Amino acid sequence: MIWQKTLLGLTTVSVALPLGLTLSPIALSNPIEKIQNSWEISQAFQSPNNGVPPGTRGGGTRGGPACSNTSKPYMALVPNNQIGLTLEEYPKFFVYVPETEAREIKLTLMKWDGEGEEEVGRVRFTTSGKPGIISVSFPQPNQNNPEKNKFALALNQVYKWEVEIDCVADALGENQTVEGWVQRVAPAGNLANLGKNSTPADYAKNGIWYEALAGAAQLYKNKPNDPKVKADWETLLSSVGFSNIAKEPMIDCCTIQTNTASQP
């Protein structure tokens, strides 16, 4: 695929995406190859074009009438119809939540085995109900957690994650569920150069969605009025179809409820 795009007053060079960027929806046999070094737009995401398992939707929303007071829908911040890649065992997941009376959300992790889904577990969080972009993640093991590594993503395994907004007590509608797909890949080849000194742009150029998004979100949260940070954040979201929420604030969320990690 050959393309050329102008963002933030800069122009990218035309690049050809290698055929090797097409991935299996079940396992990743080879690490993502880095896009050409001359690609310079700071935050636009380069999708590896790995489609979600058949019959599913990346970033889909399920539920009845929106349990919110606005017309904006709940959204999982993932490339549409894509399996987002990560190098981490415990990545952060981002969701846009409109203003709502709901005060509880549920995060569920499921394995995809090539034919169906198997639940790994779930956790519950309390939230303020303020509108904006939130991030949630599964608890990491510690000395007080007997279920060590329960939520750690296995290499090359495809998972679906779901965030369900509990609207049972909200007269405006049924519970809402948004979902996304994630696959952890090994830091091999060019990905081995990614680490604590890497920028969100470094991850974006290599197709590593979750770290690119988390890094850019942290910068935007820390410096919401910085013109470059704002522009980079908006560019990243717009590159995967979220320009309508790119100016929404980052909301501190969420407080995990103790003893809520459940067995399937």
Side-chain angles (χ1 to χ4, degrees):
M1 180 175 68
I2 307 295
W3 57 269
Q4 187 172 31
K5 193 172 185 180
T6 300
L7 292 169
L8 307 182
L10 299 176
T11 303
T12 63
V13 295
S14 297
V15 296
L17 299 184
L19 294 178
L21 289 183
T22 300
L23 308 179
S24 164
I26 306 304
L28 187 70
S29 58
N30 295 303
I32 296 292
E33 291 293 331
K34 187 174 183 180
I35 309 300
Q36 294 180 6
N37 292 332
S38 57
W39 189 86
E40 293 178 350
I41 288 298
S42 61
Q43 297 288 356
F45 177 67
Q46 292 297 290
S47 170
N49 296 320
N50 49 329
V52 297
T56 62
R57 298 172 299 162
T61 302
R62 302 198 309 275
C67 55
S68 71
N69 298 314
T70 70
S71 59
K72 283 187 178 180
Y74 295 85
M75 302 180 205
L77 273 61
V78 291
N80 190 36
N81 296 320
Q82 298 289 320
I83 300 172
L85 301 184
T86 182
L87 301 177
E88 297 183 359
E89 290 183 294
Y90 300 92
K92 291 182 178 180
F93 305 111
F94 289 79
V95 175
Y96 170 73
V97 179
E99 184 176 3
T100 177
E101 297 297 323
R103 293 294 182 269
E104 182 176 286
I105 63 174
K106 179 175 67 178
L107 176 62
T108 304
L109 184 67
M110 287 163 279
K111 286 183 180 180
W112 170 259
D113 64 5
E115 297 181 356
E117 301 157 10
E118 175 187 354
E119 185 173 321
V120 174
R122 66 188 70 176
V123 291
R124 292 180 182 274
F125 299 85
T126 56
T127 181
S128 66
K130 294 180 180 179
I133 297 170
I134 66 172
S135 68
V136 289
S137 59
F138 291 101
Q140 299 186 30
N142 57 55
Q143 60 183 0
N144 298 319
N145 183 358
E147 297 180 313
K148 288 187 175 181
N149 300 321
K150 175 179 180 179
F151 294 108
L153 301 186
L155 279 173
N156 301 328
Q157 171 68 52
V158 172
Y159 295 88
K160 182 169 80 171
W161 58 272
E162 287 187 348
V163 169
E164 181 178 355
I165 295 84
D166 188 356
C167 302
V168 171
D170 189 335
L172 292 176
E174 301 174 9
N175 285 6
Q176 297 286 296
T177 301
V178 295
E179 63 188 40
W181 294 85
V182 60
Q183 184 176 36
R184 179 181 164 222
V185 296
N190 285 314
L191 298 183
N193 297 322
L194 297 174
K196 63 180 181 179
N197 295 322
S198 298
T199 67
D202 294 329
Y203 287 104
K205 289 186 290 185
N206 284 278
I208 305 300
W209 171 250
Y210 288 96
E211 281 86 322
L213 182 62
Q218 188 62 52
L219 288 172
Y220 180 56
K221 183 178 179 181
N222 292 344
K223 300 179 179 180
N225 298 316
D226 184 301
K228 184 180 185 305
V229 169
K230 288 177 64 177
D232 285 343
W233 171 250
E234 292 173 14
T235 298
L236 177 61
L237 292 193
S238 297
S239 70
V240 290
F242 292 108
S243 57
N244 59 329
I245 61 169
K247 296 183 184 297
E248 294 289 340
M250 296 294 302
I251 302 299
D252 285 328
C253 180
C254 301
T255 302
I256 191 169
Q257 297 180 13
T258 58
N259 302 319
T260 63
S262 66
Q263 295 288 344

